[in-house]
Amino acid sequence: HKGMRGRVVVIGGAAGMAGAVALAAHAALRSGAGMVRGVVAAASVGALQQALPAALAAPWPEDDDALRAAVLD
């Protein structure tokens, strides 16, 4: 199961600026993390998914409770 090898969440990247998130997510996968999720601006979700299909991508939530759910799910 992917989650058994550790989970990493990378949060960042303004709209159209998800390159650093993609690089950090890629590094986490290469280092052995089982599940990597990138939380970026909604406009950047597609770009992150295209750049790194092995990682999960999610848009920034609208409030703190939704952010906790996105990070912990």
Side-chain angles (χ1 to χ4, degrees):
H1 185 268
K2 284 185 162 193
M4 294 180 69
R5 295 188 63 203
R7 297 179 183 187
V8 175
V9 176
V10 182
I11 302 172
M17 305 295 263
V21 174
L23 289 172
H26 181 71
L29 287 168
R30 294 282 310 238
S31 70
M35 185 182 300
V36 177
R37 179 180 310 232
V39 180
V40 295
S44 298
V45 170
L48 182 59
Q49 289 174 329
Q50 186 175 11
L52 201 58
L56 302 171
W60 284 333
E62 297 297 319
D63 58 38
D64 289 343
D65 291 332
L67 177 61
R68 281 186 208 94
V71 169
L72 297 176
D73 284 345

